[in-house]
Amino acid sequence: ELRDAWGETLQARADRGLMAEVTLIDGVNDGADAAASLHGLLAPLPGKTRVNLIPYNANAGLGAAGRLFRPAQPEAVRAFQRRLLDRGLICTVRTPRGNEESSACGMLRVEHAKGSRAS
């Protein structure tokens, strides 16, 4: 249903297509099956669909969930990207930045929330 709704919206807008951002988590959604499923979901959509892969940012501030998940390995991210490119999707990889300072995508909000509770 969701894909059909996207398709209807994209058809009505008749513009550039969909930009999908996908966070890749080690051993969860970074393998060949996940890439094939994502392609199957997105390929039928009208317009140029673009995929931006985002390696998960480990974040201990998330408690148990932060310790449970790990970033997809760089080799797995490249293989995932290659699978989508080989099937005709436009696919980029976001370059991780800010991990050392806990300021990467999704990390600042947790740190801010923790700090504001302490006040």
Side-chain angles (χ1 to χ4, degrees):
E1 287 181 29
L2 182 58
R3 181 182 59 198
D4 294 342
W6 288 340
E8 290 170 12
T9 300
L10 292 169
Q11 195 72 30
R13 288 176 42 183
D15 66 1
R16 299 171 289 184
L18 177 74
M19 168 61 115
E21 296 200 304
V22 179
T23 301
L24 295 181
I25 301 171
D26 183 43
V28 175
N29 68 339
D30 62 345
D33 290 344
S37 293
L38 183 61
H39 176 262
L41 176 69
L42 300 177
L45 295 173
K48 289 184 179 178
T49 298
R50 295 161 182 84
V51 178
N52 188 30
L53 302 176
I54 305 168
Y56 174 75
N57 291 312
N59 190 340
L62 295 175
R67 291 185 298 275
L68 178 64
F69 299 123
R70 288 182 307 252
Q73 296 298 309
E75 310 80 51
V77 174
R78 285 191 297 275
F80 197 102
Q81 179 187 31
R82 176 53 44 206
R83 288 181 180 100
L84 295 181
L85 290 169
D86 288 348
R87 290 175 171 86
L89 289 178
I90 299 166
C91 185
T92 57
V93 176
R94 180 177 292 168
T95 303
R97 290 186 290 272
N99 286 350
E100 297 78 20
E101 303 87 24
S102 293
S103 61
C105 183
M107 297 175 110
L108 286 175
R109 177 68 184 126
V110 171
E111 291 300 316
H112 174 73
K114 284 173 57 180
S116 60
R117 275 189 247 137
S119 308

